[in-house]
Each structure stands twice: as structure tokens, then as C-alpha cells.
Amino acid sequence: MTFTWDKFYDVGRCMKNISKKEEYQRSAVGRFYYAAFGLVKNYYEDKYQKTVPSNCSHSFLINELEKSYGDEKALGENLRKIRRFRNYADYDSKFYMKNVGVSEEIYNEIIILLNNLNKKSKR
């Protein structure tokens, strides 16, 4: 059975809402990022019939999308932004709680872009 990446978003929402402790909030950011990454990766692989390489997959996907234009370029830019917040949450000793909400907003922007791109491809 194929994993549904948006389930990570649900986990992120639970972590965000269950506790205001920093470890839960940092983890929520990570779940928002991986939900977005998995969905964008599926979009890319389906559209281009290419497998994203496992080595440097995150950078590869972001760079490929940023070379594009329109909604695909915006998709890459947003994925880069949310990845930056995930890296802050995972590696920086200083954490800003506002990054949780910003990460969730970027995730939602990515979903809108994916929906737009999927509608265009069905025309």
C-alpha cells in the first residue's frame, strides 16, 4: 500500500495542538515539511516520469522545480522555504515558536500550488 503523505500534515497538526512544549512544536515543523516534500515528490515523479534520486533528493527536487516557471517554480521556492524552517527546527538551538505557524502556512501554499498544477494537467 502506498503511503499518503498528507497524513504527516495531520500528525503535525496534532503535535502543534497537543502541547506548546518546544519539542512538540519543533516536531510539528518537521511533519509539515515531510508532508509537503512527499506530495511534491509524487507530483514531480508522476509528471516527469522520473524517479527523484535518493542521494540529495531534497536539493535535487527543489532545484529542478526552481528551474521551471510559474506554479512549478513557486512550488520549488516554497519547498525551499519550508525546508529551511525544518532545518532550523531540527538543528538550531534557538527556536522561534512563530516558525510553526509559518511552516503550516507554507505547507498550505504548496497544497494550493499542487492543486492548480494538477488541474492544469487534466485539461
Side-chain angles (χ1 to χ4, degrees):
M1 176 176 260
T2 303
F3 182 70
T4 308
W5 290 102
D6 58 353
K7 297 295 183 192
F8 271 166
Y9 172 79
D10 296 341
V11 173
R13 292 275 305 159
C14 286
M15 298 192 95
K16 175 184 171 194
N17 294 327
I18 200 166
S19 173
K20 293 301 175 193
K21 290 182 179 177
E22 187 173 322
E23 58 270 26
Y24 287 85
Q25 299 303 298
R26 285 176 179 260
S27 296
V29 171
R31 294 306 89 195
F32 294 150
Y33 170 72
Y34 282 108
F37 175 78
L39 292 168
V40 173
K41 181 177 176 274
N42 285 350
Y43 162 80
Y44 179 87
E45 289 180 340
D46 288 346
K47 180 176 181 186
Y48 293 101
Q49 298 298 300
K50 286 186 189 176
T51 301
V52 172
S54 57
N55 187 23
C56 300
S57 59
H58 300 261
S59 297
F60 172 86
L61 182 59
I62 290 166
N63 291 336
E64 286 297 303
L65 290 167
E66 286 182 334
K67 290 179 200 172
S68 191
Y69 58 92
D71 285 344
E72 275 193 0
K73 182 175 181 69
L75 198 58
E77 292 167 348
N78 278 292
L79 196 57
R80 183 177 299 283
K81 284 184 214 170
I82 196 172
R83 183 180 187 205
R84 192 174 318 121
F85 284 108
R86 196 269 306 169
N87 285 337
Y88 295 153
D90 284 350
Y91 304 116
D92 285 4
S93 58
K94 180 72 176 156
F95 180 71
Y96 299 97
M97 290 293 191
K98 70 178 183 175
N99 290 355
V100 182
V102 173
S103 297
E104 187 174 16
E105 289 172 13
I106 296 168
Y107 170 86
N108 288 319
E109 290 174 26
I110 287 170
I111 295 305
I112 291 167
L113 290 165
L114 283 171
N115 287 338
N116 289 344
L117 288 163
N118 286 324
K119 283 178 191 173
K120 288 176 186 175
S121 69
K122 291 180 182 178
R123 290 183 193 166

